[in-house]
């Protein structure tokens, strides 16, 4: 399995979807992994997996904002799909 460290700036919609699905209410301290990369830098990340890849997404304030905004966009799309014509107001 490939292991890829992903910075917020390079976050794809696919990885963002995986994050929001795995952490719908946000991630907590127990979800954070800590490691040192090949350059000796200390990294904090959250992990999501696909069939062939483990993505370690670096934690940042921008990541939290993106996850929250993505979640809001999804709920807006769901709300927009409801039409008044689809609702039967008769009490028959």
């Amino acid at each position: 399995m490939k292991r890829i460290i992903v910075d917020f700036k390079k976050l794809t919609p696919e990885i963002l979807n995986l994050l929001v699905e795995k952490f719908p209410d946000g991630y907590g301290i127990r979800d954070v992994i800590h490691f040192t990369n090949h350059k000796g830098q200390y990294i904090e990340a959250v992990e999501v997996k696909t069939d062939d890849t483990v993505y370690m997404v670096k934690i940042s304030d921008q990541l939290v904002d993106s996850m929250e905004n993505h979640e809001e966009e999804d709920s807006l799309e769901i709300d927009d799909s409801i039409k008044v014509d689809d609702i039967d107001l008769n009490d028959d």
Side-chain angles (χ1 to χ4, degrees):
M1 212 178 234
K2 293 187 291 186
R3 298 176 68 80
I4 299 175
I5 301 170
V6 181
D7 189 71
F8 162 76
K9 296 171 189 161
K10 297 181 182 178
L11 201 60
T12 65
E14 175 191 14
I15 299 170
L16 185 56
N17 282 333
L18 291 171
L19 283 168
V20 172
E21 286 175 18
K22 184 172 181 179
F23 307 108
D25 298 321
Y27 55 85
I29 264 186
R30 293 185 177 168
D31 301 314
V32 177
I33 58 173
H34 310 271
F35 60 95
T36 304
N37 68 8
H38 69 282
K39 295 180 183 178
Q41 298 169 324
Y42 179 75
I43 305 290
E44 291 184 334
V46 289
E47 186 178 273
V48 290
K49 298 177 184 178
T50 62
D51 292 335
D52 62 347
T53 307
V54 175
Y55 294 99
M56 294 165 289
V57 182
K58 291 182 186 179
I59 294 177
S60 67
D61 291 336
Q62 292 94 346
L63 173 61
V64 174
D65 292 342
S66 289
M67 288 176 68
E68 288 173 355
N69 290 337
H70 183 73
E71 198 168 272
E72 288 173 10
E73 288 173 11
D74 282 350
S75 66
L76 288 176
E77 288 175 17
I78 292 169
D79 291 345
D80 288 346
S81 66
I82 299 172
K83 299 175 187 170
V84 175
D85 295 342
D86 295 337
I87 301 172
D88 185 8
L89 300 176
N90 296 327
D91 287 332
D92 295 319

